[in-house]
Structure formats: structure tokens, C-alpha cells
Amino acid sequence: NFMLTQPHSVSESPGKTVIISCTRSSGSIADNYVQWYQQRPGNAPTPVIYEYNLRPSGVPDRFSGSIDSSSNSASLTISGLETEDEADYYCQSSDNSDRWVFGGGTKLTVL
Amino acid sequence: QIQLVQSGAEMKKTGASVKISCKTSGYTFAHYLIHWVRQAPGQSLEWMGWINSANGNTLFSQTFQGRLTITRDTSASTAYLELNSLRSEDTAVYYCARFVRQQLVPWGQGSLVTVSS
């Protein structure tokens, strides 16, 4: 099966913009939807982006998603960083048999 | 509101089995798949499989093929995960979640399974 590789950690200051990447090891990133989940310590994950770039209701428009076929990767962009955005972020996609894969997760620190 | 409430923490011996329940409410159970995801301490999320709540069809990660069973009881609006031949690496929080248009939402509160010899 394929893997989704994320940076282990990123950090940025409040008010700034951060981009978290998610690179697919095999198969095209454009062939299967990519979702992003936020997980705060001690809590279950919640979706922040689905179907590459759609936001669930209640997720602020500071969160956006995109894909880049040339690098076979997806990205989660969070602009106007707030301290409450500090969390772990996971990308997720599937193969053509509908088996899912999660990325290794990225710890976002807002300092 | 829509809720998924899971059974409590379990402590198991190596080689034993564990069965976790996920009781749903607030929506029509048969209309949505239920996925299971686990998270070992300090580790990433790991997808385990899903069940079609309407017809009971399942799909598993190949990692768990042969050790994992996912079932449901439509009369109780409840899904179940059973993992056999437990090893220490199976120590994790196990989550169920409802699948809605590519998203898992909401998630259960998680069930901690601790495996030791």
C-alpha cells in the first residue's frame, strides 16, 4: 500500500501562515480524495478539510486545502494563526480499493 | 444530537481477544458506514476497517486481516470491533466514527485497550 508523509512538526507565530504538506508515495494524489483532521491533546480528531479543499461547517475560512500533482502532495494552509490552532494534524486518503491511510501527523506549535 | 458512545477501557493478556462496542444515536444507523481507527500512545492514527451498517459488508486494512472482526447490531444501532491474538503492540485507543461524505464525523470518545503479559 502507499504512504502519506508529513513533516513531524512545524511552528509559527500567531497571525502568521503555516503550510503542512502531505506527500503520497505511490499512486496519484489526485486519484483519491484527501482529508485533514485536527486532534487536540486528549481528544478525538475532527475534520478540518475534506475532498481536498472543502471545509466542514464551523471550520473557519483560515483553513484551506490544496493538491499539487507535480509533487504528488496535498497541503493544509492555516492563515492568521491563533493559539487555539495548536494541535496535531493528520492527512488521510485512500487507495482504489477504498482502503484508507493516515499520514504520520504534524505537530503544530503556535508560539 | 449525533453521538457515538464506546465501551470502557480494557486490560487484556497477550494472546487474548477484545471486543469493543460503539453505540450510536441521533441518526439512522443503517444509512452510514462506521469506521474504526486506532492510535497507539504518542503515535499516529491507524485505519483498521469499516462496516456497512445496512448490509454488514466489511473492509479491513491488510495489517489486521485474519485478526479483526467488525460486526453490527442494527436493532441496537451499535457496531462492534473484535481483535484477536492480542500483542503488546495492540495497546492503543480505539475509535469508532461515522463516515459522512469522505469525513469521519463524529468520533466516539475512544476505548483504551492495554495489552500486557
Side-chain angles (χ1 to χ4, degrees):
Chain A
N1 213 352
F2 67 96
M3 294 186 350
L4 296 172
T5 300
Q6 301 180 231
H8 181 68
S9 63
V10 294
S11 61
E12 192 47 274
S13 304
K16 300 292 190 180
T17 295
V18 71
I19 300 174
I20 299 172
S21 62
C22 170
T23 302
R24 181 165 175 151
S25 62
S26 62
S28 172
I29 194 74
D31 282 352
N32 307 94
Y33 286 124
V34 176
Q35 283 64 236
W36 290 89
Y37 290 85
Q38 177 191 69
Q39 185 180 32
R40 295 192 175 101
N43 291 320
T46 59
V48 292
I49 293 290
Y50 68 102
E51 293 182 5
Y52 301 124
N53 58 9
L54 300 181
R55 279 186 311 277
S57 61
V59 174
D61 60 7
R62 302 183 297 102
F63 289 79
S64 62
S66 62
I67 62 168
D68 178 359
S69 294
S70 66
S71 59
N72 213 34
S73 64
S75 294
L76 172 68
T77 300
I78 310 173
S79 59
L81 276 169
E82 300 181 359
T83 54
E84 68 181 29
D85 298 331
E86 191 161 288
D88 293 329
Y89 291 86
Y90 296 92
C91 58
Q92 174 269 314
S93 190
S94 59
D95 63 19
N96 292 336
S97 301
D98 202 26
R99 288 187 167 88
W100 286 27
V101 173
F102 284 94
T106 298
K107 181 178 180 61
L108 169 62
T109 302
V110 181
L111 34 67
Chain B
Q1 78 275 30
I2 295 167
Q3 285 190 301
L4 281 68
V5 178
Q6 299 182 221
S7 48
E10 302 260 14
M11 294 194 67
K12 294 292 182 181
K13 295 289 189 187
T14 304
S17 299
V18 68
K19 189 171 185 177
I20 303 166
S21 66
C22 172
K23 182 166 178 57
T24 73
S25 60
Y27 72 96
T28 302
F29 178 73
H31 286 181
Y32 298 90
L33 302 185
I34 294 288
H35 284 243
W36 289 89
V37 176
R38 75 178 185 180
Q39 187 171 37
Q43 301 300 310
S44 175
L45 303 171
E46 182 175 24
W47 178 76
M48 301 183 73
W50 55 250
I51 185 166
N52 182 319
S53 306
N55 60 21
N57 287 348
T58 54
L59 182 70
F60 304 136
S61 165
Q62 290 168 340
T63 302
F64 302 101
Q65 213 78 32
R67 286 206 299 146
L68 178 61
T69 305
I70 301 176
T71 57
R72 96 284 190 222
D73 179 348
T74 54
S75 66
S77 299
T78 300
Y80 301 92
L81 176 144
E82 184 168 16
L83 189 61
N84 302 320
S85 303
L86 290 169
R87 23 208 198 231
S88 59
E89 310 89 87
D90 294 318
T91 294
V93 175
Y94 289 74
Y95 293 101
C96 61
R98 187 184 72 149
F99 178 70
V100 181
R101 193 175 166 185
Q102 301 303 321
Q103 310 163 73
L104 294 181
V105 58
W107 294 53
Q109 84 277 19
S111 300
L112 175 63
V113 175
T114 304
V115 183
S116 65
S117 54

